Amino acid sequence: MSTPNFLSMYQQLIASPSVSALDPQLNLTNKPVIDLLASWCETLGFTVEITELESAPGKFNLVAKRGEGQGGLMLAGHTDTVPFDDSRWSKDPFKLTEQDNKLYGLGSIDMKGFFAFVLEALKELDELPQQQPILILATADEETTMAGAIEIAKKSTIKPARCVIGEPTDMVPVFTHKGHMSTAIRVIGRSGHSSDPARGLNAIEVMNLVISKLLHLRDELKNKYSTPHFAIPYPTLNLGHIHGGDNANRICGCCELHIDMRPLPGLSIKELQALLIDAITPINTQYPNAVEVIDLHDPIPAFSGNTDSALVKLAEKISGEAAVAVNYCTEAPFIQQLGCETIVMGPGSINQAHQPDEYLAMDKIKPSQAIITQLIKASCY
């Protein structure tokens, strides 16, 4: 049995649905994708370990390794995709469609397609004597909880010297990125009839005070913290979603606001959480226990890299592109906990991620393949 050709691998990966979602009705197992990768890795001489996530039964990580000892290069990616709105896709999301010099499909660049590039590169290099271990990591649930990467970070037996995470960067190396916090702020008031406002506590009015404090915190973050590598050099705070009340003639008894915060490297999750709590505290003093702060998911820390690492220098040399900082987040801060030099670098444009009719531009296939092949060759051969 041999590994299929590049387009066949691509097609089979896209044809295996692996949506991860917080809504149980949309959430799917990633096992078919993991099994595909396992079979292909085994034909290339890799030893494969598949592990079911403790925190998410029915979801799986794969670690494949060829070569003995520690060190070498790990090529990492997630096997899940975001949910999709069928009405906004003009193509079948689960069928690889070639049209207008583009390859369409859900996960084509974010990011199941990366594994086809990696395996194609390894087929090309198979005849050369391998000097360092090569590892392939395929994780679950990156698009929701990052549970797969969080569990991998605890595996002390995985010790690569370098890791490339193949998120879509148009093959530009990314050496650092912001973190991500999604937080619900819930105000519990006392409902009552609108004809007698004094008999209740209007949660919308209290939320108005909360928002005022949050906007002050947003300005404070912008003025106090800055990292020039980023296009948006300060931590951001976005008021994203609000709902409350049930009728015009009732005093609102509950109001909830969802916010998004993006910490910079050097600003820890604990510090940012403390700043948020401090902003809310005066309101809870005025209205005891009226305001609750709830994480909507486990916060994702920023990824702190530097431009002086050997891996960054190698990636810059091979790609011809200077390493950059980005505002979105990846599994990098968790993978980095394994002790390896880490970058984010992969085929496809981030502008296509999470979009209807997601696609890979076909004219980028050969240059992207060449860069990935050279990265593996320089690190392990």
Side-chain angles (χ1 to χ4, degrees):
M1 180 181 174
S2 61
T3 311
N5 67 34
F6 176 79
L7 283 179
S8 177
M9 285 189 285
Y10 230 104
Q11 179 272 323
Q12 290 180 64
L13 290 167
I14 299 303
S16 300
S18 54
V19 171
S20 67
L22 297 177
D23 181 347
Q25 292 185 320
L26 301 176
N27 198 33
L28 301 174
T29 182
N30 67 328
K31 189 64 159 52
V33 178
I34 291 291
D35 288 343
L36 273 176
L37 294 174
S39 65
W40 297 338
C41 287
E42 285 170 349
T43 65
L44 291 170
F46 282 76
T47 300
V48 175
E49 179 186 10
I50 297 173
T51 308
E52 188 169 15
L53 301 193
E54 294 177 10
S55 59
K59 300 299 183 83
F60 297 84
N61 285 338
L62 172 148
V63 179
K65 184 178 181 182
R66 191 172 73 185
E68 299 300 320
Q70 299 179 353
L73 174 67
M74 182 162 74
L75 299 138
H78 62 85
T79 57
D80 59 318
T81 70
V82 291
F84 63 97
D85 182 348
D86 200 34
S87 67
R88 297 179 66 202
W89 276 73
S90 66
K91 316 282 190 296
D92 182 342
F94 301 113
K95 181 180 179 182
L96 189 68
T97 303
E98 182 181 336
Q99 185 178 321
D100 300 327
N101 204 33
K102 297 170 182 175
L103 290 177
Y104 291 91
L106 181 63
S108 56
I109 54 95
D110 189 19
M111 60 164 292
K112 292 192 286 189
F114 174 65
F115 295 108
F117 279 91
V118 168
L119 292 165
E120 188 70 14
L122 290 169
K123 284 196 294 180
E124 289 182 33
L125 295 168
D126 216 22
E127 301 302 314
L128 299 178
Q130 185 181 320
Q131 305 294 325
Q132 294 290 328
I134 301 172
L135 295 92
I136 296 173
L137 170 64
T139 61
D141 282 7
E142 186 270 352
E143 298 289 7
T144 49
T145 62
M146 299 220 177
I150 290 169
E151 292 195 16
I152 286 293
K154 299 172 184 174
K155 282 188 169 286
S156 59
T157 55
I158 302 175
K159 290 290 184 186
R162 299 171 171 178
C163 179
V164 176
I165 301 172
E167 292 277 6
T169 70
D170 272 331
M171 299 311 297
V172 175
V174 170
F175 74 96
T176 186
H177 65 61
K178 293 183 180 180
H180 183 216
M181 288 171 57
S182 293
T183 306
I185 299 174
R186 184 178 299 155
V187 175
I188 303 297
R190 290 190 308 278
S191 62
H193 198 280
S194 61
S195 62
D196 189 355
R199 295 191 66 178
L201 176 62
N202 194 309
I204 292 175
E205 293 182 17
V206 177
M207 185 62 82
N208 182 47
L209 301 176
V210 170
I211 289 173
S212 178
K213 292 289 187 183
L214 291 177
L215 294 179
H216 179 77
L217 174 59
R218 185 176 69 180
D219 290 341
E220 183 184 336
L221 292 171
K222 185 175 181 178
N223 295 329
K224 187 175 179 181
Y225 301 92
S226 181
T227 302
H229 296 300
F230 291 91
I232 302 164
Y234 50 85
T236 55
L237 188 161
N238 180 62
L239 312 180
H241 172 66
I242 191 167
H243 59 276
D246 51 23
N247 211 347
N249 65 359
R250 279 173 58 82
I251 298 166
C252 176
C254 181
C255 185
E256 187 164 302
L257 170 69
H258 294 180
I259 67 171
D260 169 290
M261 302 177 77
R262 304 272 171 161
L264 292 169
L267 177 59
S268 72
I269 295 293
K270 285 186 176 180
E271 186 179 357
L272 194 54
Q273 287 173 325
L275 290 169
L276 182 58
I277 295 297
D278 286 348
I280 302 301
T281 296
I283 301 168
N284 261 336
T285 301
Q286 185 177 356
Y287 303 102
N289 302 316
V291 186
E292 189 177 4
V293 178
I294 307 153
D295 286 334
L296 291 171
H297 60 73
D298 288 339
I300 301 160
F303 164 46
S304 301
N306 67 76
T307 55
D308 295 327
S309 80
L311 179 56
V312 169
K313 294 295 186 188
L314 175 64
E316 287 182 324
K317 180 181 177 183
I318 291 173
S319 68
E321 300 279 356
V324 299
V326 295
N327 296 315
Y328 56 83
C329 61
T330 74
E331 296 171 313
F334 304 109
I335 303 299
Q336 194 179 39
Q337 291 174 31
L338 298 173
C340 47
E341 291 184 6
T342 303
I343 60 169
V344 183
M345 184 180 186
S349 168
I350 192 65
N351 295 329
Q352 284 299 311
H354 303 188
Q355 297 298 313
D357 291 344
E358 176 186 344
Y359 68 83
L360 172 70
M362 293 183 70
D363 60 1
K364 298 291 184 71
I365 291 176
K366 283 190 176 180
S368 298
Q369 188 69 67
I371 292 169
I372 291 168
T373 302
Q374 289 177 65
L375 276 170
I376 298 171
K377 186 176 180 180
S379 298
C380 301
Y381 288 87

